Amino acid sequence: MRKKIVAGNWKMNLNLQEGVALATELNAALTADKPNCDVVICTPFIHLASVANVLDANLIGLGAENCADKVSGAYTGEVSAAMVKSTGAQYVILGHSERRAYYGETAEILKEKVNLALANGLKVIFCIGEVLEEREAEKQNEVVKAQLEGSLFDLTAEQFSNIILAYEPVWAIGTGKTATAEQAEEMHAFIRSTIADKFGAEAAENVSILYGGSCKPSNAKEIFAKPNVDGGLIGGAALKCADFKGIIDAWKA
Ligand code: PGA
């Protein structure tokens, strides 16, 4: 059975003290009321080691929001997959639309990042999704398929088993405009069939596909109820313990 996952993406928010305080609060809340799903928080690099210290690793996974496309060396300002792993983190988000749009991350660059993350024992939360004009032109399926092909299709099925996919329609990120549960389900089913064609039925059955984009406690339950939606990648609502926990609790009956 594939995993149900709620993952937080803090983006460039919270200073170190605020981040440690939020992680501490979330750890206490989930210790008191155990989740029915895997929970992961992805934080800025500088938070990782300190946040790892306050999390019960059996309860909450930890991830970075990016890593370098190079192994090591003279790449000023970059943080490698090995460095991320050494903090205690187990996950890394790659291919987020903000990285693609604002930092020029191409499918080719992302392929390098994915390879290095996997080689260093990190699980990858790989984001895909179309922009509004592409959806309006009904090109969302081909866009998402090209994103998968461009960065993941050289992996072996064994490597692919460490990938979590996150479908994030760009028009729904931080806009308050959520995809409908039907739109999410339709795309998730398409993604799963694309994975089946490439990696086989078992890989497709086992891969968790998260929805991301203005997911909130008030809409999570309806979206997560869809058969091909295995959880969420949460931005804004991951910055408040009560909101994030509200989304985690969407997996409870
Ligand atoms: P949002 O962000 O929940 O604030 O829309 C989701 C994401 O970008 O991962």
Side-chain angles (χ1 to χ4, degrees), residues 100-166:
R100 294 178 193 260
Y102 308 146
Y103 299 96
E105 295 197 1
T106 62
E108 207 47 42
I109 291 171
L110 291 169
K111 191 165 152 178
E112 294 302 318
K113 293 189 177 202
V114 168
N115 284 334
L116 286 167
L118 294 176
N120 282 283
L122 294 168
K123 289 187 191 299
V124 174
I125 301 173
F126 191 78
C127 304
I128 50 186
E130 80 286 357
V131 300
L132 185 60
E133 302 79 73
E134 292 162 341
R135 163 101 15 199
E136 284 172 349
E138 293 179 13
K139 289 197 166 136
Q140 65 271 20
N141 286 10
E142 68 184 81
V143 167
V144 163
K145 189 172 181 198
Q147 290 170 336
L148 291 169
E149 277 172 354
S151 302
L152 302 182
F153 273 22
D154 286 343
L155 298 177
T156 64
E158 162 73 21
Q159 286 175 311
F160 186 77
S161 68
N162 288 305
I163 304 281
I164 295 155
L165 296 173

Side-chain angles (χ1 to χ4, degrees), residues 9 11 96-98 168 172-175 212-215 233-237:
N9 172 12
K11 307 193 180 184
H96 193 281
S97 60
E98 289 150 16
E168 300 202 306
I173 296 178
T175 57
S214 301
C215 197
L233 181 57
I234 317 301

Side-chain angles (χ1 to χ4, degrees), residues 13 68 86 88 125 136 157 187-188 192 230:
N13 293 296
S86 74
I125 301 173
E136 284 172 349
M187 177 56 87
H188 284 221
R192 205 177 295 287
D230 305 308

Side-chain angles (χ1 to χ4, degrees), residues 47-252:
H47 296 62
L48 290 171
S50 306
V51 166
N53 275 331
V54 302
L55 294 183
D56 173 352
N58 294 318
L59 203 57
I60 307 177
L62 177 63
E65 300 171 13
N66 183 25
C67 71
D69 60 342
K70 303 286 193 300
V71 175
S72 67
Y75 302 102
T76 302
E78 288 296 303
V79 175
S80 72
M83 291 173 187
V84 168
K85 178 76 176 174
S86 74
T87 64
Q90 312 93 25
Y91 297 83
V92 61
I93 296 173
L94 292 174
H96 193 281
S97 60
E98 289 150 16
R99 301 291 322 168
R100 294 178 193 260
Y102 308 146
Y103 299 96
E105 295 197 1
T106 62
E108 207 47 42
I109 291 171
L110 291 169
K111 191 165 152 178
E112 294 302 318
K113 293 189 177 202
V114 168
N115 284 334
L116 286 167
L118 294 176
N120 282 283
L122 294 168
K123 289 187 191 299
V124 174
I125 301 173
F126 191 78
C127 304
I128 50 186
E130 80 286 357
V131 300
L132 185 60
E133 302 79 73
E134 292 162 341
R135 163 101 15 199
E136 284 172 349
E138 293 179 13
K139 289 197 166 136
Q140 65 271 20
N141 286 10
E142 68 184 81
V143 167
V144 163
K145 189 172 181 198
Q147 290 170 336
L148 291 169
E149 277 172 354
S151 302
L152 302 182
F153 273 22
D154 286 343
L155 298 177
T156 64
E158 162 73 21
Q159 286 175 311
F160 186 77
S161 68
N162 288 305
I163 304 281
I164 295 155
L165 296 173
Y167 170 58
E168 300 202 306
V170 180
W171 46 271
I173 296 178
T175 57
K177 197 175 172 199
T178 324
T180 64
E182 289 70 29
Q183 284 172 322
E185 171 59 18
E186 190 180 25
M187 177 56 87
H188 284 221
F190 171 74
I191 292 168
R192 205 177 295 287
S193 78
T194 304
I195 297 305
D197 290 344
K198 169 66 193 169
F199 293 103
E202 195 183 334
E205 196 47 46
N206 289 336
V207 66
S208 298
I209 309 177
L210 314 183
Y211 168 79
S214 301
C215 197
K216 302 181 278 277
S218 58
N219 59 27
K221 206 165 192 145
E222 188 191 350
I223 297 169
F224 294 177
K226 294 293 178 189
N228 283 294
V229 178
D230 305 308
L233 181 57
I234 317 301
L239 296 172
K240 289 215 175 81
C241 183
D243 288 348
F244 194 53
K245 173 129 186 336
I247 296 172
I248 292 164
D249 288 347
W251 281 118
K252 297 193 173 172

